[in-house]
Amino acid sequence: GYHSLLQFFRSSAWSLSELTRHWAVFVLAQQQLVELQGRCVLLGDHTYVAKEGRRMPGVVAIHQDSETQSKPSYFRGQCWGALGVVVGSLAAPFCLPLGLRIHQGWKHLGQVDDQATRTQTLTHRLVRMALDFATAQDRPSILVLDAFFSVASVFLLANAVWSVKLKAPYLTLIVRAKKNYVAY
């Protein structure tokens, strides 16, 4: 069945972007979203997965900034960007995944390395995922991220796409400040 499975993934009968769009429509149709001031709450982050394979898509050398001594400083693996929506209630929230994509190692995926992908950083790719969801579903959202995303270009990107109906940006960011920031 391995060769049949390979033909399935290479088939033009289905599209990953369409499948992701239908999944988002289904999640929104359940009407279980946690909303604050009419905006759904999105959670985003990156995760690094160690991989041993050398010919696997997206496997690159990754630097680990861990405070524990048990982890190596460099390892080979994949960098995934994850985006989810908070469902349930504020008393008992649950993060339902909306999308998961490899965010590093474009050359291994066979994608063209053009100017647009060269200028995007890991932080931009995750915010772009959230913007794609918000604009495709016409749902203004609050995106909650960790301190890694607290850079000026992320705030500029989130503020770049506005809803004409609301006269406000599609994304409102909630980001923890980095330890080395100084308040003015």
Side-chain angles (χ1 to χ4, degrees), residues 3-184:
H3 295 290
S4 299
L5 195 59
L6 285 179
Q7 289 176 352
F8 168 76
F9 285 115
R10 294 181 179 143
S11 172
S12 62
W14 64 280
S15 164
L16 181 61
S17 60
E18 280 297 308
L19 186 64
T20 307
R21 188 183 64 78
H22 284 295
W23 171 248
V25 169
F26 175 76
V27 168
L28 293 175
Q30 304 307 307
Q31 298 180 353
Q32 295 294 318
L33 301 180
V34 172
E35 291 187 354
L36 298 172
Q37 299 175 352
R39 293 175 173 262
C40 63
V41 179
L42 302 175
L43 303 177
D45 202 5
H46 285 112
T47 183
Y48 299 106
V49 181
K51 298 288 182 180
E52 295 294 327
R54 298 225 177 246
R55 294 185 178 209
M56 293 177 68
V59 174
V60 293
I62 297 173
H63 178 67
Q64 175 69 25
D65 290 331
S66 178
E67 295 177 2
T68 64
Q69 296 296 325
S70 62
K71 294 182 181 177
S73 59
Y74 285 95
F75 64 94
R76 292 191 53 79
Q78 294 172 329
C79 175
W80 290 86
L83 182 70
V85 65
V86 178
V87 295
S89 66
L90 285 176
F94 180 79
C95 182
L96 187 65
L98 289 175
L100 193 68
R101 294 188 189 137
I102 294 178
H103 277 188
Q104 217 173 11
W106 296 102
K107 292 178 186 174
H108 300 287
L109 295 175
Q111 294 182 355
V112 179
D113 189 23
D114 59 355
Q115 184 63 26
T117 58
R118 249 183 273 140
T119 58
Q120 283 187 349
T121 62
L122 292 177
T123 56
H124 291 134
R125 290 184 182 124
L126 192 62
V127 173
R128 177 61 54 198
M129 283 176 65
L131 278 172
D132 290 343
F133 167 78
T135 55
Q137 305 305 322
D138 197 27
R139 290 294 297 246
S141 305
I142 296 172
L143 179 60
V144 181
L145 301 167
D146 64 2
F148 178 74
F149 296 90
S150 141
V151 291
S153 59
V154 167
F155 295 108
L156 293 173
L157 178 61
N159 198 31
V161 181
W162 280 58
S163 168
V164 175
K165 181 172 55 175
L166 294 174
K167 297 179 183 151
Y170 269 108
L171 279 183
T172 300
L173 295 181
I174 297 178
V175 181
R176 183 176 65 87
K178 294 183 180 181
K179 293 178 185 178
N180 60 355
Y181 279 5
V182 177
Y184 290 96

